[in-house]
Amino acid sequence: MKTKIIKYISFILITTAILSSCNDLDLAPTNRFTDANYWTSTEKAAAVLNMAYSQMFNSNYFFANERLTDNLYEGRGNTNEKIITSGQADAALGRFAGEWADCYSGIKTCHILLENIDLVPNMDPAVKERMKAEARFIRASLFFRLTNHYGDVPLFDFNISRQEANTIERSPKAEVLEFVRNELNSIVTLLPKKGEYSDKDKGRITQGAAMMLLARTYLYENSWSEVASITQRIINGEFGNYELFPSYEGLFLPQNELNDEVILDLGYALNLRTWMEMYDGIPISVGGRINAFAPTQELVDDYIMRNGKAIHEDGSGYNENDPYVNRDPRFGATIVYHGYQWVDGSGKVSTIYIRPGSSAEAGASNLDEYSGPGQNSTATGYYIRKYFDPQAPEGMNAGLNLILMRYADVLLMYAEAKNELGEMNESVWNQTIRPIRVRAGFTDAGALNYPGNDNMREIIRRERRSELAIEGLRLFDIRRWGTIETVMNGTPHGAKFAANNTQYIELEQRRFNPERDYLFAIPQSQRDINENLTQNPGY
């Protein structure tokens, strides 16, 4: 599937022309998609669909969304995300314009396919209906992404003209969500279940992906009954049989792509279509370029101890002077800390020295040592391990798939919904949190047995953070919980490496205005063209 997508995208870019347009709603990948001479074969239709797959999401947004949260801190430069988290963003910001344009460009591609695929002669009707369903899923996912970021957005289900694009108004978020949900409910039976695709088409959109996206549309609105109902159906195997991959660390390795936990991912192919964000996240001594973003102390502190207790809870056994011992096993699979044993693709083991002065004591490289703000090394005292591709060549041009949806998230959504409905009990715990922790490597009964206390909401939220860290989902969690107003409004911290290793690093203050920052600004460039596009409050 990955190789096919690259081939078809290249084919389109070579054989068709790009239209220029001032309005992003009228952006067309090509003007010849709609020409009757183009729609002559199933392969050409598949090329357009695979273009839509490539526009559904990308690695840049995958990691950029995480940088908008309290999980990561950007120590260098002045990126769009850093401007947003500092509270200084305005409607001219590139991130606001870029996401808007990318989403509507992908929607345009879907509309072109849906309006022209019937022109293909002698096409297998079943394949045609499946491809239409895939395009409708991608379109629904893009509208969902738009309404999550911008609130009310222009909604249309056909290929609009430039004149229409320049006069269209924003539709209420409720209408956008209704459209997305209706689409997903309509297409689910038109899609294959997991395991029903041939090997060459593995990785395409399935019934499970449609239902998981449907569940998220309710999760982000805190509609707990619907979340519980949909995720229960996924758990019951109604849309294919999913299960947790046995190894948490192995889940994110290239040899285990498309395993039984993965519901939908971004397909990449080494040397064909790659991503390289990890180049600026891993330790410099093992191939990193600089450190542009790094885990915060706040994320580190949320990983529980192996006995199931939070680090500041009585009886946890946490030792501030030896803080990385007996922690949640997922911690070491996600975050690189001082003294970390880094294993590269060849099996070579390197000790990562981050505490200031430690490399001189060991006679080792000091490239990774914390040396203050704005330097090449980490700004927080930590690096990232999760999503490191051990098969990537120098430069970290990774071909590793990035997982958008996986079964562990289904279990976590179900657990959260049942708890919010007042229906959490030992049975639900044993169906959800317990197997996730068993897979993670917990063995202590205190971590595995149902706690049965009044702190369940905090436990589940912490579990989501630990299980799904660096997967681009934290932003949407803290928004829907309302905690973003607190966690993104203050001074984040790094490791205890300041003041001769006696104080935690204090990083630049972040600011979040609850009257404005739950939504992105409608791009000013689009409002200059279309006076009917109103602006979100505060911009």
Side-chain angles (χ1 to χ4, degrees):
M1 165 67 173
K2 291 193 289 184
T3 303
K4 286 180 64 180
I5 285 181
I6 304 303
K7 179 177 69 176
Y8 289 141
I9 291 172
S10 300
F11 170 77
I12 288 175
L13 293 176
I14 292 170
T15 60
T16 59
I18 305 295
L19 268 182
S20 63
S21 174
C22 294
N23 193 314
D24 290 336
L25 274 65
D26 188 48
L27 281 177
T30 79
N31 63 333
R32 296 183 183 176
F33 283 171
T34 55
D35 187 59
N37 291 330
Y38 177 83
W39 300 90
T40 58
S41 70
T42 299
E43 288 72 23
K44 287 185 176 180
V48 180
L49 178 60
N50 285 327
M51 173 67 84
Y53 265 95
S54 75
Q55 295 170 304
M56 180 169 59
F57 206 57
N58 61 49
S59 61
N60 178 41
Y61 291 124
F62 187 92
F63 291 100
N65 284 345
E66 199 78 0
R67 302 201 308 271
L68 291 174
T69 78
D70 53 341
N71 279 353
L72 295 181
Y73 175 81
E74 295 183 90
R76 291 178 58 89
N78 197 32
T79 68
N80 287 313
E81 288 68 37
K82 196 165 187 178
I83 293 171
I84 292 172
T85 58
S86 69
Q88 301 178 63
D90 61 28
L93 190 71
R95 171 69 191 268
F96 299 156
E99 186 124 21
W100 179 278
D102 288 349
C103 287
Y104 279 112
S105 181
I107 289 167
K108 181 84 170 183
T109 303
C110 294
H111 285 155
I112 289 171
L113 179 126
L114 291 168
E115 293 178 13
N116 290 279
I117 194 170
D118 287 335
L119 298 174
V120 178
N122 304 316
M123 187 173 182
D124 184 328
V127 173
K128 182 188 297 185
E129 290 307 305
R130 188 208 78 206
M131 290 175 63
K132 287 182 178 179
E134 290 174 82
R136 290 170 67 185
F137 174 95
I138 294 170
R139 180 177 64 179
S141 74
L142 290 168
F143 273 121
F144 182 53
R145 180 169 144 203
L146 282 164
T147 200
N148 281 330
H149 284 315
Y150 301 94
D152 301 345
V153 294
L155 173 67
F156 46 94
D157 63 356
F158 58 92
N159 191 19
I160 63 175
S161 68
R162 187 173 304 181
Q163 181 179 3
E164 290 169 318
N166 289 341
T167 57
I168 196 169
E169 298 180 353
R170 298 168 69 186
S171 299
K173 181 177 182 179
E175 289 185 14
V176 181
L177 287 174
E178 182 181 15
F179 171 79
V180 169
R181 290 165 180 165
N182 287 340
E183 283 290 278
L184 295 172
N185 280 312
S186 296
I187 67 173
V188 64
T189 58
L190 303 176
L191 292 164
K193 294 181 180 180
K194 173 186 165 295
E196 292 182 350
Y197 277 113
S198 63
D199 287 346
K200 67 182 178 65
D201 284 324
K202 283 183 177 178
R204 289 193 176 276
I205 294 158
T206 61
Q207 291 186 15
M211 295 307 291
M212 186 165 184
L213 182 58
L214 182 63
R216 280 185 180 167
T217 71
Y218 289 108
L219 179 77
Y220 292 0
E221 299 299 306
N222 298 323
S223 299
W224 302 115
S225 295
E226 290 83 359
V227 174
S229 175
I230 296 167
T231 52
Q232 179 70 76
R233 294 173 67 190
I234 299 174
I235 292 168
N236 290 344
E238 187 174 334
F239 310 103
N241 295 317
Y242 297 97
E243 60 184 23
L244 297 175
F245 187 74
S247 165
Y248 183 79
E249 184 175 12
L251 175 64
F252 306 100
L253 293 177
Q255 61 266 33
N256 300 319
E257 289 178 345
L258 302 177
N259 62 71
D260 285 343
E261 183 168 345
V262 176
I263 297 176
L264 183 65
D265 61 12
L266 291 175
Y268 289 87
L270 194 61
N271 299 323
L272 289 173
R273 182 181 181 228
T274 60
W275 57 273
M276 60 178 298
E277 278 77 7
M278 197 57 69
Y279 197 15
D280 295 329
I282 65 171
I284 300 170
S285 67
V286 294
R289 176 171 50 186
I290 58 171
N291 187 253
F293 52 92
T296 63
Q297 187 65 41
E298 283 74 19
L299 172 59
V300 170
D301 286 349
D302 244 3
Y303 284 92
I304 60 175
M305 304 297 288
R306 283 184 175 265
N307 61 12
K309 294 182 179 294
I311 62 171
H312 299 304
E313 192 175 347
D314 289 343
S316 70
Y318 175 72
N319 180 354
E320 190 176 17
N321 295 317
D322 197 5
Y324 313 127
V325 176
N326 293 325
R327 301 295 292 275
D328 182 332
R330 292 168 294 194
F331 172 56
T334 306
I335 297 173
V336 178
Y337 48 87
H338 174 67
Y340 189 93
Q341 298 298 290
W342 180 278
V343 182
D344 66 14
S346 68
K348 177 185 176 182
V349 179
S350 304
T351 301
I352 307 301
Y353 295 95
I354 308 178
R355 189 183 69 239
S358 59
S359 61
E361 299 171 8
S365 167
N366 68 347
L367 291 174
D368 303 320
E369 279 189 14
Y370 170 76
S371 55
Q375 304 302 308
N376 286 342
S377 60
T378 171
T380 70
Y382 300 102
Y383 296 91
I384 297 175
R385 175 69 190 195
K386 191 176 188 178
Y387 273 119
F388 167 70
D389 183 355
Q391 296 180 3
E394 184 177 356
M396 295 298 116
N397 291 300
L400 177 64
N401 287 4
L402 298 172
I403 302 172
L404 299 178
M405 299 178 181
R406 60 186 179 94
Y407 185 59
D409 193 7
V410 174
L411 298 179
L412 289 165
M413 286 195 285
Y414 182 68
E416 184 176 1
K418 296 295 278 186
N419 185 65
E420 295 298 328
L421 291 168
E423 298 173 1
M424 171 57 79
N425 54 38
E426 186 172 7
S427 175
V428 174
W429 173 273
N430 289 340
Q431 190 180 18
T432 57
I433 307 299
R434 182 184 176 97
I436 288 174
R437 289 189 175 180
V438 168
R439 186 272 295 278
F442 285 96
T443 57
D444 194 294
L448 299 179
N449 292 344
Y450 177 57
N453 58 32
D454 297 329
N455 206 27
M456 189 58 65
R457 174 182 283 178
E458 182 179 345
I459 290 172
I460 292 172
R461 290 183 177 184
R462 182 181 289 122
E463 193 70 20
R464 281 193 65 85
R465 189 179 194 182
S466 301
E467 176 70 22
L468 302 173
I470 325 298
E471 296 186 41
L473 298 174
R474 176 73 173 171
L475 174 63
F476 306 102
D477 283 343
I478 58 178
R479 277 180 180 171
R480 65 187 176 86
W481 293 333
T483 57
I484 193 170
E485 299 178 15
T486 301
V487 301
M488 295 304 294
N489 211 6
T491 304
H493 297 85
K496 199 174 182 180
F497 294 156
N500 294 319
N501 303 319
T502 62
Q503 297 177 15
Y504 290 97
I505 300 165
E506 287 198 358
L507 303 165
E508 292 179 2
Q509 185 175 4
R510 289 171 158 179
R511 294 177 175 84
F512 184 91
N513 178 357
E515 302 301 318
R516 182 191 68 174
D517 294 334
Y518 274 98
L519 295 175
F520 285 175
I522 303 301
Q524 187 60 47
S525 58
Q526 296 304 299
R527 297 189 69 236
D528 290 342
I529 298 166
N530 181 0
E531 62 182 13
N532 292 329
L533 289 178
T534 57
Q535 184 57 277
N536 284 326
Y539 290 103

